[in-house]
């Protein structure tokens, strides 16, 4: 097996290359050309794609998806909403899966200009010890009967490397049936090692698929290597990760182009790693601790259009909304395409019990307790799913 050091010796005009995967094929869809296409779609194009969707074609093409998120589709939102509701209920029933994040460290070697964890931000860093992680698990279980836990850390290999993550998973496993991580991209063999320790899923945000703009947002740190991050999803797939979560940040680059690239990436992964389940997340950015202001703003109407389009595009993908969104918007969208939500989220390490004053990564908008979110879902006619995986399957 080739090591990261071996791969780092390869280079092209685009910079260092790491491994093989989607980064090797994304160039066939140039960013500027993709972005320019949205203004050319017509009402007739939208009608044709919706007619195709009504025939219950389970997987539309990425080109069809582009039509549905184009400005031309704005006048068809009601039909898109109804199709999204129909396809979601056919596949998932009237259910919302609940999860909760646990931040274990805000130490980071990256200098992402939009992130509160930016290495250059002058604040005291917090990395939880294993006893503190255990205390956080116990505090979370008092908030609600969560079984889906998302472990989140900054990217700091010396503090939160594979050894640390393996130990953390073993501490959390007795408390939760489903463990997912959102950490630095790892080598394939490291994902395999963590699966042995109880890992079920991995979430990774490419942030933006715009290769040319990417270095502006990630000037230093391992995250600055676009190909290493983008090909990380292939390493997850080859390692046999049960569920892969994909995401872009709405606020960096043109949102329609970014989510189109993510849709193409999803299709690629499904073709290569068909045993894996997939989820998508496209959170709207807020100003960060470092003062970064989003470059792109997406309205609630456009955000709903994007959600409908993704459900019509793929009936099986899990669509997740975090506590970045307002209670009112989340309550509306749970009927129209969303299938999982976080609740009671603390975005600072130790926020549930041990270090409540640590710096948070982003500000939460939905401050309701998990039980209040549960009641809202139930009152809306839906069932809450706290557990959708059993340790016996490990």
């Amino acid at each position: 097996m080739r090591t990261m050091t071996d791969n780092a010796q390869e280079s092209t005009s685009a910079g260092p290359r790491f491994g093989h995967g989607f980064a090797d094929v994304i160039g066939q869809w140039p960013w500027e050309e993709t972005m320019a296409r949205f203004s050319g779609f017509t009402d007739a194009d939208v009608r044709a794609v919706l007619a195709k969707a009504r025939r219950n074609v389970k997987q539309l093409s990425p080109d069809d998806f582009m039509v549905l998120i184009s400005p031309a589709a704005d006048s068809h939102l009601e039909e898109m909403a109804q199709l999204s509701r129909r396809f979601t209920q056919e596949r998932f029933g009237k259910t919302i899966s609940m999860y909760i994040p646990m931040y274990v460290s805000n130490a980071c070697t990256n200098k992402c200009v939009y992130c509160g964890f930016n290495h250059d931000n002058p604040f005291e860093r917090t990395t939880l010890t294993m006893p503190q992680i255990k205390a956080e698990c116990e505090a979370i279980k008092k908030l609600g009967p969560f079984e889906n836990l998302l472990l989140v850390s900054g990217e700091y290999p010396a503090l939160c490397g594979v050894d640390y993550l393996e130990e953390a998973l073993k501490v959390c496993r007795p408390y939760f049936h489903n463990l997912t991580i959102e950490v630095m991209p790892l080598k394939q063999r490291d994902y395999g090692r963590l699966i042995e320790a109880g890992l079920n899923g991995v979430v990774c945000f490419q942030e933006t698929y715009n290769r040319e703009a990417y270095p502006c947002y990630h000037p230093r740190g391992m995250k600055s290597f676009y190909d290493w991050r983008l090909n990380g999803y292939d390493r997850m797939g080859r390692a046999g990760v049960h569920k892969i979560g994909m995401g872009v940040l709405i606020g960096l680059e043109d949102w329609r182009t970014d989510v189109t690239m993510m849709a193409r990436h999803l299709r690629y992964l499904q073709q290569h790693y068909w045993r894996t389940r997939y989820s998508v997340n496209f959170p709207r950015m807020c100003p960060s601790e470092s003062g970064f202001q989003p470059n792109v703003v997406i309205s609630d109407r456009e955000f709903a259009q994007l959600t409908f389009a993704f459900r019509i595009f793929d009936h099986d993908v899990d669509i997740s909304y975090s506590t970045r969104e307002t209670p009112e918007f989340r309550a509306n969208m749970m009927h129209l395409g969303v299938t999982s939500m976080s609740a009671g989220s603390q975005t600072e390490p130790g926020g549930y019990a041990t270090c409540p004053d640590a710096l948070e990564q982003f500000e939460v908008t939905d401050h309701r307790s998990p039980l209040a979110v549960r009641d809202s879902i139930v009152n809306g006619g839906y069932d809450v799913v706290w557990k959708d995986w059993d340790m016996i399957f490990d």
Side-chain angles (χ1 to χ4, degrees):
M1 182 183 296
R2 301 180 66 181
T3 66
M4 196 172 89
T5 303
D6 295 329
N7 291 328
Q9 294 173 357
E10 297 181 359
S11 65
T12 68
S13 59
R17 301 297 301 276
F18 298 98
H20 61 279
F22 189 67
D24 302 306
V25 300
I26 192 174
Q28 65 187 284
W29 303 291
W31 180 274
E32 295 297 333
E33 290 181 19
T34 301
M35 185 166 61
R37 289 183 61 191
F38 289 107
S39 61
F41 293 123
T42 66
D43 188 75
D45 294 325
V46 179
R47 292 179 183 278
V49 172
L50 290 176
K52 185 177 178 181
R54 286 194 298 273
R55 295 197 299 271
N56 209 22
V57 176
K58 269 202 160 186
Q59 288 194 335
L60 300 181
S61 72
D63 284 341
D64 294 329
F65 174 73
M66 290 183 69
V67 173
L68 294 180
I69 60 172
S70 71
D74 178 76
S75 59
H76 296 270
L77 253 58
E78 183 58 36
E79 181 177 0
M80 289 176 61
Q82 296 309 313
L83 283 172
S84 180
R85 182 204 298 264
R86 170 187 149 192
F87 296 147
T88 304
Q89 291 187 4
E90 286 176 353
R91 172 61 179 83
F92 295 89
K94 299 175 73 173
T95 64
I96 296 292
S97 180
M98 303 292 289
Y99 71 95
I100 192 167
M102 181 201 294
Y103 281 70
V104 296
S105 179
N106 54 19
C108 194
T109 59
N110 296 319
K111 298 189 177 183
C112 308
V113 299
Y114 52 80
C115 183
F117 291 176
N118 185 316
H119 179 76
D120 288 347
N121 284 349
F123 66 90
E124 185 176 350
R125 307 287 169 152
T126 301
T127 299
L128 301 186
T129 64
M130 295 306 138
Q132 288 175 319
I133 290 176
K134 184 175 186 293
E136 292 292 295
C137 290
E138 293 171 348
I140 287 173
K141 296 300 282 189
K142 292 177 181 177
L143 294 176
F146 287 101
E147 293 293 348
N148 300 318
L149 179 71
L150 174 64
L151 282 171
V152 187
S153 79
E155 299 189 12
Y156 202 120
L159 291 176
C160 300
V162 179
D163 291 344
Y164 177 90
L165 295 171
E166 181 180 44
E167 194 174 355
L169 288 168
K170 290 179 179 178
V171 170
C172 295
R173 176 46 99 189
Y175 295 93
F176 302 96
H177 281 265
N178 189 294
L179 298 177
T180 300
I181 58 171
E182 185 180 336
V183 301
M184 60 188 178
L186 304 172
K187 300 175 184 178
Q188 178 180 333
R189 64 174 177 265
D190 291 333
Y191 285 122
R193 177 179 165 188
L194 295 182
I195 289 171
E196 292 296 319
L199 177 69
N200 302 113
V202 180
V203 172
C204 182
F205 281 75
Q206 183 60 27
E207 320 296 19
T208 179
Y209 284 85
N210 188 337
R211 183 187 289 274
E212 297 302 316
Y214 186 89
C216 300
Y217 303 111
H218 314 98
R220 291 186 62 185
M222 194 62 193
K223 197 170 180 179
S224 66
F225 295 109
Y226 178 95
D227 286 10
W228 170 251
R229 192 169 191 86
L230 189 55
N231 285 346
Y233 301 87
D234 288 88
R235 298 192 297 275
M236 298 170 205
R238 290 193 291 266
V241 171
H242 174 69
K243 186 175 182 179
I244 294 175
M246 313 172 66
V248 295
L249 292 179
I250 303 295
L252 296 181
E253 293 293 305
D254 177 71
W255 68 266
R256 290 187 172 91
T257 309
D258 250 333
V259 296
T260 294
M261 296 302 184
M262 185 167 69
R264 295 193 184 281
H265 194 183
L266 174 63
R267 281 289 181 266
Y268 164 93
L269 292 172
Q270 290 170 330
Q271 291 165 4
H272 286 78
Y273 315 108
W274 53 270
R275 292 181 178 87
T276 298
R277 292 177 57 202
Y278 296 93
S279 67
V280 293
N281 196 338
F282 22 81
R284 293 187 275 190
M285 296 183 68
C286 303
S288 76
E289 180 73 14
S290 58
F292 178 82
Q293 297 292 324
N295 297 319
V296 176
V297 175
I298 181 173
S299 67
D300 283 355
R301 184 177 178 86
E302 290 171 325
F303 200 64
Q305 178 184 358
L306 168 57
T307 304
F308 305 153
F310 231 111
R311 173 59 64 224
I312 298 168
F313 169 65
D314 194 294
H315 301 185
D316 295 327
V317 71
D318 182 23
I319 299 178
S320 179
Y321 270 22
S322 74
T323 50
R324 287 178 185 258
E325 299 303 326
T326 66
E328 297 77 18
F329 192 71
R330 297 212 301 170
N332 265 340
M333 295 304 296
M334 78 174 190
H335 298 279
L336 300 173
V338 176
T339 50
S340 67
M341 293 183 184
S342 56
S345 302
Q346 299 294 328
T347 65
E348 68 273 28
Y352 300 104
T354 57
C355 305
D357 296 325
L359 179 74
E360 61 184 8
Q361 187 180 32
F362 64 87
E363 185 176 351
V364 168
T365 302
D366 188 345
H367 295 278
R368 292 176 297 169
S369 71
L371 297 184
V373 174
R374 177 204 62 187
D375 291 345
S376 172
I377 293 171
V378 171
N379 291 337
Y382 275 57
D383 293 326
V384 174
V385 176
W386 298 99
K387 174 185 173 184
D388 58 3
W389 181 262
D390 198 285
M391 284 185 274
I392 193 172
F393 293 118
D394 297 336

